[in-house]
Structure formats: structure tokens, C-alpha cells
Amino acid sequence: MTPSVPIPAQWPDRYGDELFRFALSRVSDTTVAEELVQETFLSALDGLATFRAEASERTWLFVILRRKIIDHYRRQARAKQVSLDQISEGGATEADFFNLETGHWADAQMPASWLNADAALEQEELHEAIQRCQDRLPAQQGAVFAMRFVEELSAEEICQELGITASNYWVLVHRAKLQLRRCLEKHGLGKN
């Protein structure tokens, strides 16, 4: 049973591994995940007097870590931006993928189904490929994508956290999806 009074000296042994795995699943960088867990412990220590035991010590630490991860995404989003044309090898633009009149995928660029990736090994490989491609996104796109599709925050929350407009948010999500698709296809997924 969790004691009602937090014991900071026990946090690393009791919660360190679990917090690290949680952070790593969201940032995919061991050094960053370790730093986030350390920052979580320091913030919890600073705020120990405010702990009211309304939730468990574990839950309280995870709430702090989640805020630290969002702060990480926010810092990442403020990093220097690189345009889609600068990072694409062939210089393709969004116009190469979409029908300009309808805004839908161009026939030649229509995404193929990935339903054949149902075996556990294929799922693991797919997850690793998605993670590698996600890591290659420009910082702001990566932050928006992670906050939306990993943290499952609403568009309004993301805009508020990152200080961006709704239209900017949608552009970033759109470009992130496009970049991920191109990256996954480049690695043999999604094309027949």
C-alpha cells in the first residue's frame, strides 16, 4: 500500500523504471527520458509541501511527468523550423500529393492499405519504422504530432500549450502526416 506521506528517497526505486518507460515511449530518446524523470523527481521534491494525498504518490508523479513531457514538446516546437522542401530529398511539395481542386490525395499518391501488417513481428517492425520516421520530423511538427497522436491532447490544448493558431496547428498536423507517409513508403510500407 502506498503511504499517504511521500518518501522522496524511495521514488527512484519504486517509480523510476515505470516513469522512465512512460517517458521513453513518448520521446524515444533514452537521454531525454532520463532527464524528464529526473526533472519530475526534482519538481515533486520542490512541490512536496503542496502534495495533498488526494491521489496516490504514483499518480502525482505521473501527472508531473506528463507536464514535463508537454514542456519538452513545447521546447521542441520552438526549435528552428525547416520547411518541407528543405528536408525532402526530391524537392517534392504538398502540391505533388494532392488534387489542387478537391484537396484530396492525387490518384497516383492515394495511400495503400497497411492491413497486411497483422503479425506481431510485423507490428513491432511497423512501430519501429513509425518511431524512426517520427524522430525525423522537424521539431515543431514532431511536437504537434506527438501531442495529438501519442498524448491524445485536443487541438485546442495543443494550440494553447504551444502558442500556435488553429490554422497553424492543422498545417503542422497535415505536414507531419505527409512526412510520415513519405518516410514509411520510403522504407517499404504502404506501397504495393
Side-chain angles (χ1 to χ4, degrees):
M1 182 172 168
T2 304
S4 59
V5 177
I7 304 171
Q10 295 179 357
W11 290 345
D13 291 335
R14 295 180 77 187
Y15 309 110
D17 290 344
E18 193 176 5
L19 290 167
F20 174 75
R21 285 191 303 273
F22 182 82
L24 185 60
S25 71
R26 273 126 180 103
V27 298
S28 68
D29 182 310
T30 56
T31 303
V32 172
E34 289 171 354
E35 289 173 3
L36 290 170
V37 172
Q38 289 174 0
E39 290 175 20
T40 298
F41 289 147
L42 290 173
S43 290
L45 196 56
D46 284 347
L48 196 56
T50 63
F51 180 71
R52 293 178 285 182
E54 292 174 353
S56 72
E57 182 179 25
R58 179 184 173 278
T59 300
W60 181 57
L61 289 171
F62 270 92
V63 168
I64 294 170
L65 176 59
R66 190 177 169 103
R67 291 297 316 163
K68 295 293 178 191
I69 292 169
I70 290 171
D71 290 345
H72 168 74
Y73 292 148
R74 187 180 303 124
R75 284 190 303 271
Q76 202 176 35
R78 290 184 183 142
K80 183 179 176 189
Q81 294 185 23
V82 178
S83 77
L84 182 63
D85 292 335
Q86 289 175 303
I87 59 173
S88 63
E89 292 175 10
T93 64
E94 294 175 46
D96 296 328
F97 288 88
F98 300 101
N99 180 321
L100 296 177
E101 294 177 15
T102 64
H104 296 288
W105 291 107
D107 290 338
Q109 299 295 334
M110 190 69 69
S113 173
W114 296 347
L115 294 178
N116 62 350
D118 56 354
L121 181 59
E122 289 175 336
Q123 288 295 326
E124 185 176 326
E125 289 174 1
L126 175 63
H127 182 265
E128 289 172 2
I130 290 171
Q131 191 61 56
R132 280 193 309 272
C133 290
Q134 186 179 342
D135 292 344
R136 293 181 183 159
L137 289 174
Q140 195 171 34
Q141 289 177 26
V144 169
F145 184 84
M147 292 173 84
R148 179 68 188 107
F149 298 105
V150 176
E151 296 298 324
E152 299 181 345
L153 298 179
S154 70
E156 293 79 22
E157 290 173 304
I158 295 169
C159 290
Q160 185 177 0
E161 291 290 341
L162 299 180
I164 59 176
T165 64
S167 60
N168 192 10
Y169 163 81
W170 289 111
V171 168
L172 291 168
V173 167
H174 172 74
R175 288 183 177 173
K177 287 180 176 178
L178 188 61
Q179 283 293 103
L180 286 173
R181 178 183 162 202
R182 292 179 68 205
C183 180
L184 290 170
E185 288 176 351
K186 188 176 178 180
H187 291 89
L189 296 169
K191 284 281 189 186
N192 293 329

